[in-house]
């Protein structure tokens, strides 16, 4: 039984390797505006991501939304910590 599991794992690994050899990933770059939280040195205006073109349009949209939400939460965190310039705030 163990040998069957090992052989299946080897087959799976080979299938993944061959898939990437015959269908190599290509990427599309997209840019998102980078929030400028108070109290931070000037940041670049955009942050860039390379996304695999094998994702469906719906998946790409979800990925972009998730990244945007993370950046918005990051800005909220730093804004709360900045506390109007006192830099002693508590982040929710």
């Amino acid at each position: 039984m163990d040998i069957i599991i090992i052989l299946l794992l080897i087959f799976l690994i080979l299938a993944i390797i061959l898939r990437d050899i015959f269908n190599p990933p290509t990427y599309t770059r997209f840019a998102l505006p980078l929030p400028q939280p108070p109290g931070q040195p000037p940041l670049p205006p955009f942050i860039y991501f390379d996304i695999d073109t094998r994702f469906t349009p719906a998946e790409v949209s979800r990925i972009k939304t998730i990244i945007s939400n993370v950046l918005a939460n990051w800005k909220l965190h730093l804004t709360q910590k900045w506390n109007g310039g006192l830099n002693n705030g508590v982040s929710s």
Side-chain angles (χ1 to χ4, degrees), residues 14-69:
L14 286 174
I16 291 170
I17 291 170
L18 289 175
R19 180 198 64 192
D20 287 343
I21 288 173
F22 292 111
N23 184 20
T26 55
Y27 300 94
T28 307
R29 179 164 288 181
F30 70 93
L32 288 175
L34 190 58
Q36 301 293 322
Q40 298 298 311
L43 299 171
F46 292 96
I47 186 168
Y48 299 91
F49 295 90
D50 291 331
I51 190 161
D52 195 321
T53 56
R54 294 177 289 185
F55 284 114
T56 66
E59 291 170 330
V60 170
S61 177
R62 284 181 35 206
I63 291 168
K64 288 180 178 181
T65 299
I66 290 168
I67 293 171
S68 294
N69 289 342

